Amino acid sequence: TITVIVIAITVPAFYLFIKLFFKSFVSAFWKTTGYSVAVQIGQVLTAIALLYALSVPSDYMDYLALFMVSSVVAVIPFTVGGVGARELVFLYGFQFLNIEKDKAIAFTLLFFSVTAITALFGLIVSTNLGEAKSKPVQG
């Protein structure tokens, strides 16, 4: 219920912030917010699948809470591309939560691998699309 309350307050507040200070982005607000939510849901589902693969007991909430904190930390620019930031959060965070150190670190490394592989696929697709756009149309 706290999550619902936070979302119910945060989304309208963020919309108001955008409307006041970044008027040119208002038209894209709901579309980009939808994409953001979809990405977060995808990340959480990936995290659950990895936890299942690691045979973590079914109570994933501690892992997922730490995972979401690590997602925020990973975008703070104190490492190159966030590499190592998520792992650092899990390395220190496992001490305060009911999670196993080895599985927590294995989880972050696996998640990084999944992210890297999907990013590589995106690079290949975007490069091929870029090449297709730059070729003149024959006709």
Side-chain angles (χ1 to χ4, degrees):
T1 57
I2 290 179
T3 304
V4 174
I5 293 169
V6 168
I7 291 170
I9 293 170
T10 304
V11 172
F14 186 55
Y15 180 78
L16 181 62
F17 176 79
I18 296 296
K19 193 169 183 172
L20 290 173
F21 297 105
F22 301 99
K23 291 179 173 112
S24 62
F25 294 111
V26 170
S27 63
F29 178 81
W30 293 110
K31 185 176 183 178
T32 56
T33 299
Y35 285 145
S36 297
V37 169
V39 167
Q40 291 302 316
I41 290 170
Q43 285 191 338
V44 169
L45 292 175
T46 301
I48 290 170
L50 290 173
L51 292 170
Y52 181 78
L54 289 169
S55 299
V56 171
S58 62
D59 184 20
Y60 300 146
M61 289 312 292
D62 286 342
Y63 285 91
L64 293 176
L66 196 54
F67 172 71
M68 295 310 285
V69 169
S70 74
S71 294
V72 172
V73 172
V75 299
I76 299 172
F78 71 90
T79 66
V80 178
V83 175
R86 188 180 308 274
E87 291 77 11
L88 192 64
V89 169
F90 269 84
L91 183 63
Y92 289 111
F94 87 93
Q95 302 168 30
F96 303 103
L97 299 171
N98 187 29
I99 62 177
E100 297 177 43
K101 177 182 178 182
D102 296 338
K103 288 187 179 183
I105 299 302
F107 166 76
T108 60
L109 294 174
L110 287 170
F111 187 82
F112 176 78
S113 299
V114 168
T115 304
I117 290 167
T118 56
L120 182 61
F121 177 73
L123 175 67
I124 293 167
V125 170
S126 67
T127 302
N128 289 338
L129 289 176
E131 289 175 5
K133 287 181 180 179
S134 65
K135 291 182 183 178
V137 177
Q138 307 261 328

